[in-house]
Amino acid sequence: MSAPIVTVDLPLSPALTEKIAHVGELRLWDTGIAPGSPTAALFTYGHPPVADAMLAALPELKVISNFGVGVDHIDVAAAAARGIPVGNTPGAVDGSTADMTMALILAAPRRLAEGERMVRARNWTGWTPTFMLGNRIWGKRQGIKGMGRIGQAVERRPAAACR
């Protein structure tokens, strides 16, 4: 019996490639997906569409794994009808995304990126009280559109800074 084929849509890191090599043969999407392909596992990273027609063409498929949070690019109902489990990583990047959101909330009104580019280009001419002042955020209210896991994590960030 030959090693199972794991088909991925984008090149993987050497460390992950090595781990997969211990359990099966790794193929890139453009060379590994063909009607009747013996692909046993799909590993998606770039969110390519995984539609019912593709699933029908992969009779050996046993699992679909998405390296990311959502599965909106995968026909989950069609996979379930074929008994193919679909996995993803919900919650894996919530904290990091909330941290970056807070960084942008602080950086954008104070023109931080613009000032950093000016300094790197050696165009800084000196300090004055109002140069690059931007807008203050203290005393403002934070509004969050969407209170899913990430929205709730963003909401917790300012309170954590006050402890």
Side-chain angles (χ1 to χ4, degrees), residues 51-71:
D52 184 45
M54 177 185 285
L55 298 177
L58 299 172
E60 302 297 316
L61 189 61
K62 304 288 185 242
V63 65
I64 302 167
S65 182
N66 179 54
F67 186 81
V69 175
V71 291

Side-chain angles (χ1 to χ4, degrees), residues 84-162:
I84 302 168
V86 175
N88 68 342
T89 57
V93 296
D94 295 355
S96 297
T97 303
D99 288 348
M100 185 57 70
T101 300
M102 286 306 302
L104 292 170
I105 286 171
L106 294 170
R110 289 300 186 169
R111 303 170 62 186
L112 185 66
E114 182 182 353
E116 186 269 344
R117 285 189 300 273
M118 184 177 284
V119 169
R120 284 187 187 267
R122 300 185 189 275
N123 291 333
W124 186 261
T125 58
W127 179 83
T128 65
T130 58
F131 181 64
M132 295 289 295
L133 186 60
N135 295 301
R136 66 181 175 88
I137 64 164
W138 61 270
K140 304 286 184 179
R141 289 182 186 219
Q142 175 177 289
I144 301 171
K145 182 174 173 107
M147 288 301 290
R149 289 186 321 268
I150 294 171
Q152 290 175 37
V154 170
E155 180 185 41
R156 289 190 297 270
R157 293 311 189 265
C162 296

Side-chain angles (χ1 to χ4, degrees), residues 1-6 16-26 40-41:
M1 180 178 194
S2 61
I5 295 173
V6 178
L16 194 50
T17 299
E18 183 179 324
K19 286 182 180 186
I20 291 174
H22 290 297
V23 297
E25 177 189 338
L26 185 63

